[in-house]
Amino acid sequence: MVEPSTEQLAACCASRRWIAAVAGRPYADLAALRAASRRALDGLDWADVEEALAAHPRIGDRAAGGSREARWSRGEQAGAAGAGADVQDALVAGNRAYEERFGHVFLIRASGRSALEMLAALRERLGNDPAAERDAVRRELAEIVDLRLARLTEEDE
């Protein structure tokens, strides 16, 4: 049985609506928790997604603090942390251009991706129209939440 607390869920996704939809019940296993999470994510309004985005640091920025979410974020962005100055500078410029174009932080599942892969995705997604980019953000958010739910259940075993 898996029954994450509200605090644990908040480390996975900062949308209060998502937390309310997923919290307060036991799940048979991680697969059941992930299924409930996916249903809740699919039901989020864009404002709820933006609330979740506000908790994510820019790619290349180091999340501060000792919270579970900050620790996870630093680990997830390990591929960006070791990049050379030229790639770091390109990420900063790309983040700025992205935020000017779309009005929110560039979100990507950083786990398992190098800084160059993230930079290439950022540059590619700058060409998206707003609707296509919202779809991309929702996919990336779902992947991040999925990974974090798995970490949560692993840590609590």
Side-chain angles (χ1 to χ4, degrees), residues 27-52:
Y27 296 94
D29 54 23
L30 176 58
L33 175 58
R34 282 177 160 165
S37 170
R38 175 55 81 165
R39 285 190 301 276
L41 286 169
D42 288 346
L44 295 183
D45 294 331
W46 185 248
D48 300 314
V49 173
E50 288 181 311
E51 181 180 32

Side-chain angles (χ1 to χ4, degrees), residues 136-149:
V137 167
R138 285 179 177 276
R139 283 190 306 275
E140 296 293 333
L141 179 61
E143 287 184 29
I144 292 166
V145 171
D146 223 35
L147 287 171
R148 289 181 174 188
L149 287 171

Side-chain angles (χ1 to χ4, degrees), residues 15-94:
S15 164
R16 289 173 293 183
R17 189 165 167 215
W18 176 85
I19 294 167
V22 177
R25 64 190 59 80
Y27 296 94
D29 54 23
L30 176 58
L33 175 58
R34 282 177 160 165
S37 170
R38 175 55 81 165
R39 285 190 301 276
L41 286 169
D42 288 346
L44 295 183
D45 294 331
W46 185 248
D48 300 314
V49 173
E50 288 181 311
E51 181 180 32
L53 291 174
H56 288 270
R58 290 177 184 94
I59 293 297
D61 284 357
R62 187 167 168 81
S67 71
R68 177 178 275 160
E69 183 178 6
R71 287 190 322 272
W72 285 348
S73 180
R74 287 190 297 271
E76 290 163 358
Q77 289 203 37
D86 58 331
V87 175
Q88 290 287 348
D89 290 346
L91 283 169
V92 168

Side-chain angles (χ1 to χ4, degrees), residues 61-134:
D61 284 357
R62 187 167 168 81
S67 71
R68 177 178 275 160
E69 183 178 6
R71 287 190 322 272
W72 285 348
S73 180
R74 287 190 297 271
E76 290 163 358
Q77 289 203 37
D86 58 331
V87 175
Q88 290 287 348
D89 290 346
L91 283 169
V92 168
N95 281 325
R96 189 174 20 257
Y98 182 94
E99 290 172 22
E100 287 172 9
R101 175 154 167 67
F102 295 111
H104 56 79
V105 69
F106 171 68
L107 187 73
I108 188 167
R109 178 196 40 81
S111 291
R113 289 183 170 142
S114 71
L116 286 174
E117 289 171 314
M118 289 184 273
L119 180 59
L122 190 158
R123 288 176 171 163
E124 180 180 328
R125 285 174 48 193
L126 275 168
N128 283 348
D129 63 58
E133 186 52 27
R134 284 184 176 192

